[in-house]
Each structure stands twice: as C-alpha cells, then as structure tokens.
Amino acid sequence: MSTQAQRTTSGQITLVIEIGLLLLLSLIWGSSFTLIKVAISSIPPFTMVAARVTIAAILLVGIAHAQGHALPRRGSVWAGFFVQGLLQSALPFTLISWGEMHIASGLAGVLNATPPMFVLAIAMTTGRGRQAVTRWKIIGVALGLAGVAVTMGLDALSGIGTAAPLAQAAVLGASLCYALAPMWGQRFSKLPAIVTAAGAMSCAAIPMVPAALILERPWTLAPTSQAVAAVIGLAVVCTALAMVIYFRLIRTLGPLGTTSGSYLRAGFAVALGTAWLGERFTLSALTGMALILAGVIAITMPMPARKREPGQ
C-alpha cells in the first residue's frame, strides 16, 4: 500500500472514531434533559448547576493530576478558562434548567437544537471558525433542523403561542452560548483536553456557588433521593466525562461539526423516551432521525475539492 493510500485510510479511521465520539457525546447530553427534569422537581436551577459544575470540577482536577498534568499558572489562560466556563457550562446550564420549568421539554429540545444555526451565521458574518462555510454544510444544517422538527412533531411547536416568552428566549440564549463556546475553546487546542475541561469547569463553579448560596439557600432544601442521584449523574457523566470528549472534538471536527451534535441530542432524547418511558416510536421519529443523521454527515464529512481542468 502506498504512503498516500495509508494516509487516506488512517484519515478515514480517525474520522470514524471522531464521529463515534460525537454520537457518544450526543447520547450523554441527550440524557441530560431527562435528568434535569428529575432534579428540577426539588432542586432549584442555581443550586443544581452549582452542584453539577463543582462536583465535575473536583473530579476533572483530580483526573488531571492523576494523569500527571499540571494546571496552567498564567493569569491570561485562567481568564480564558473563565470565559469558557461561562459559555459552555454556567450560563447555558442555568438558562436551560430555568427554561424547562416554564416550557414543554419538546419545545425546549427544538429551541436547543439551534447552535449550528448560530455557528453558521457567525462564521458567515465574521469569517471566524476553523471550518469553511460550504454549500454542503448549509445543506447539512438545513437537513438537521428539519429532522429535529419532524422528530419532535408539530405538537412540540404548538405551545409557542402560550409558552413563557422569557423561557423560550432563555433556551435560545443557551444555544447561542453553545455556539460561541467551541469557537472560543479553539484557543486551548495546545492543551490536553482534560486540562482545559478541568480549568473551565473550575471557573464555572466560581460564580455559581455564591449565586446558589445567596439566592436559593440550598441548606433549606429537601431534595428527593432521585433528584440527588440525577445531579450526580449530570455532574459525573453529562459534565465531567462529556467535557473531555467535547474539547477533543473541538480540535478534530471544529466548531460547526461539534455543535452538529445538538441535532443528535434531540434524536437520542426521543429514543431514550421510548426506551425508558414506553413512548411510541413513530414513523415521524424514524424519518426525523434519518434527516438528523444525514445533516450531521453533510456537516462533518470533508468534501473533496474539485480539480480544475487545464484551460478552465
């Protein structure tokens, strides 16, 4: 096998691995909506998010040290971590948790599937972002959004006229945060993913802990055992583990490819509802998930450049 063929095969294997990780990340984050619903019944948003990011930060810092990684000492790096923690965790976690108290989860899922829209709009407006905006990526974004709408069904959109406008705006604000976070996170590409995740999550805990203590007085709460277990699951799996995968994907798939997982999250949410809650798996759900998968492929697959013929 020639060297060029070996490189092509290696690149294809690597891409398969990265898309597999994107699927795993989407499954993990898709399950977070269910866990948030369980936790929010007896744990208010600031307290839930503060516990989630603090537990995740302790776990990530411990893993980083166990692997022999030292956290950066430069103030400029920690300033960057602070912005990353706000964009990726503190703000969107709080906005989604509060939003799901006031609007249907289906509507929240549709609204939270919009980060690729924001990424594409930002890339077209500013020219920023590693991946070039191509016709295929635009088609992929359109297919993914159509898939989300079909998967959730018209019932998810029927509450737009009656749902709290501020709650809808909050979930859209979280989507904007998720669009900006991978763009900002590219500046940490030279750091190990576990170090970036540990630093960003530690910084996310800085504003959330005092906010919870002042606004919600968590020592007065009486959370259920299910809610506590849900928060632990959110912290360990949906935050600590997910962040390590997330920062790797930023380097390998780029911002638009990484945020395309928001479509897959919606599909997994439907699948998990079917498996755990006995919901009927409809033809519209199958059709929608097929559109979602097609959109992700169009966004993440590198398209070969066309060679110009002599004289053209």
Side-chain angles (χ1 to χ4, degrees):
M1 182 180 293
S2 66
T3 302
Q4 182 62 35
Q6 289 177 340
R7 289 177 179 174
T8 300
T9 301
S10 176
Q12 291 173 343
I13 293 174
T14 299
L15 182 60
V16 169
I17 292 173
E18 301 309 317
I19 292 180
L21 288 173
L22 181 64
L23 287 168
L24 176 59
L25 181 63
S26 301
L27 173 60
I28 290 172
W29 276 344
S31 68
S32 68
F33 287 97
T34 301
L35 294 175
I36 288 172
K37 275 293 186 183
V38 173
I40 204 67
S41 62
S42 59
I43 302 177
F46 285 101
T47 300
M48 177 171 56
V49 175
R52 178 179 179 178
V53 297
T54 300
I55 294 171
I58 294 171
L59 183 60
L60 288 167
V61 169
I63 293 173
H65 280 295
Q67 293 181 351
H69 298 297
L71 296 178
R73 295 184 178 181
R74 287 186 298 162
S76 60
V77 176
W78 281 97
F81 282 163
F82 188 81
V83 175
Q84 186 69 38
L86 287 177
L87 291 175
Q88 184 57 42
S89 302
L91 285 176
F93 289 175
T94 304
L95 290 170
I96 292 172
S97 299
W98 180 83
E100 286 197 28
M101 295 175 65
H102 301 281
I103 62 176
S105 60
L107 177 57
V110 172
L111 295 175
N112 195 233
T114 54
M117 309 290 106
F118 288 111
V119 170
L120 195 66
I122 293 169
M124 292 177 68
T125 303
T126 66
R128 295 179 64 87
R130 178 176 298 175
Q131 296 197 8
V133 177
T134 65
R135 179 182 61 182
W136 280 106
K137 295 189 190 306
I138 295 174
I139 291 173
V141 167
L143 284 172
L145 188 58
V148 169
V150 172
T151 300
M152 295 298 182
L154 295 177
D155 291 342
L157 300 175
S158 63
I160 288 180
T162 58
L166 286 178
Q168 297 176 42
V171 178
L172 283 174
S175 295
L176 177 59
C177 290
Y178 284 144
L180 293 171
M183 293 183 173
W184 182 266
Q186 284 184 305
R187 69 190 60 230
F188 308 117
S189 60
K190 294 183 179 179
L191 294 175
I194 185 65
V195 172
T196 303
M201 201 56 55
S202 298
C203 289
I206 293 174
M208 293 310 305
V209 171
L213 293 174
I214 294 171
L215 298 176
E216 295 174 346
R217 299 191 300 167
W219 59 88
T220 65
L221 302 175
T224 64
S225 58
Q226 292 89 346
V228 172
V231 170
I232 294 174
L234 284 167
V236 176
V237 180
C238 299
T239 308
L241 174 60
M243 285 298 111
V244 177
I245 300 173
Y246 170 80
F247 284 112
R248 171 185 172 126
L249 292 177
I250 289 177
R251 294 199 304 266
T252 56
L253 295 181
L256 189 56
T258 303
T259 55
S260 68
S262 60
Y263 293 145
L264 288 166
R265 284 202 305 269
F268 278 123
V270 173
L272 291 172
T274 302
W276 293 352
L277 305 177
E279 297 173 351
R280 190 165 59 92
F281 201 61
T282 63
L283 179 61
S284 63
L286 283 170
T287 304
M289 292 176 70
L291 288 170
I292 290 168
L293 181 58
V296 171
I297 291 174
I299 290 171
T300 56
M301 287 291 287
M303 298 298 168
R306 295 180 58 186
K307 295 184 180 180
R308 294 175 60 93
E309 297 292 336
Q312 284 188 334

